[in-house]
Amino acid sequence: ESLALTALENDVLWALLRELPERCRRLLRIVAFEERPDYSELANTLGMPVGSIGPTRGRCLKKLRKLMHDKGEIQ
């Protein structure tokens, strides 16, 4: 039951991530799966200044939280 619930939550999260702009999807995917991403490399990959990574990540997470709230996934 626990595994099924986790799988369902993961499916919902991935579906919501697909609704984000490509730039957010790419950034959040890298940050989520890399233990300590190299910000210089990340900046080059995404074509953004190193100093923009943190603020952009914050805006992307805010968009994701809003989607989760709007879809009734969180209160």
Side-chain angles (χ1 to χ4, degrees), residues 32-69:
F33 291 110
E34 293 287 326
E35 187 167 328
R36 299 197 78 182
D38 179 296
Y39 272 36
S40 295
E41 185 178 319
L42 184 56
N44 285 333
T45 299
L46 298 175
M48 66 173 59
V50 172
S52 294
I53 294 171
T56 301
R57 182 188 62 217
R59 287 190 297 275
C60 292
L61 289 171
K62 185 176 180 177
K63 288 177 186 179
L64 181 58
R65 278 191 299 273
K66 183 175 180 345
L67 277 172
M68 292 174 80
H69 183 269

Side-chain angles (χ1 to χ4, degrees), residues 7-29 33 60 63-65 67-68 71 73:
L8 178 60
E9 290 170 344
N10 287 339
D11 289 345
V12 169
L13 179 60
W14 283 111
L16 292 172
L17 279 166
R18 284 191 292 274
E19 294 186 36
L20 293 174
E22 176 65 23
R23 182 175 179 170
C24 284
R25 289 194 310 263
R26 290 179 69 201
L27 175 61
L28 293 178
R29 217 177 275 131
F33 291 110
C60 292
K63 288 177 186 179
L64 181 58
R65 278 191 299 273
L67 277 172
M68 292 174 80
K71 304 279 181 166
E73 299 301 326

